[in-house]
Amino acid sequence: KPLIAASWAYWDDVTPNKSPIPTVLQDFIRTKSPPVRLYIWRCSILGSRTTATQTQSIPQFPHIASIPTANLAGLSMCRPLSRGRDVHEVLAELITSSPNLESLELFRMSGKFYGDRRLPPIKHLSLSRSAWTYTADEVSRIWDFSRLETLRITERSYSVDFMKSVPGKTLPCLKRLTIEMIRGLPATEGQVEMVGRFLLETPQLLEIHLTIALYPLPIASIARHSSLR
């Protein structure tokens, strides 16, 4: 059978000045027919401790420049070694240059994406211990959730922050929702109300996983989902 997908994992702090993807693999992925779908998982590849400046772009990050963006289908990013707005601009440029990107995981990320182009319409989003600080206006300008099918958020406060700027009614394709709590703190009344409202606005959900303390969550928030598996 032909190769249809490839996964690559790389930690930048091991060899920070080398490309995360060997040239031979880059060439193979770029020239293979049918196209190979590339998944890059849990990688901190945005520069090294010695390369951060205020004027960097993708060509100045060999780690980013080596990625065949036309083939990139899944990207899992860890907290970058370099901090600041320039890092998020580079990450936004990488994502907007990846028209076939479907899955995005942000792990222990903070800050916001910057840039003039809107991010592509991903299908799967995972916010793993990553703060969500976008306003509703910024979401409409930067993100495209028109095709979002799967949403996973860890940390209850981050999930509530997400729901404040992304109402459930704006996610027409959402089928699977997971909210996980890392620390066992009780939910506030306002947090319970926010999650309940979000569930009421997404009756098309097929799967709901809530590993958090949401008491008392109105039963109507769940009962409305007649298609739950």
Side-chain angles (χ1 to χ4, degrees), residues 45 66 88 131 134 148 164 207-208 226:
I45 57 177
S66 72
H88 290 84
Y134 297 92
L148 189 67
K164 286 180 180 178
E207 298 178 15
I208 302 174
S226 58

Side-chain angles (χ1 to χ4, degrees), residues 57-68:
S57 61
I58 282 183
Q60 293 170 300
F61 282 87
H63 317 78
I64 300 299
S66 72
I67 297 175

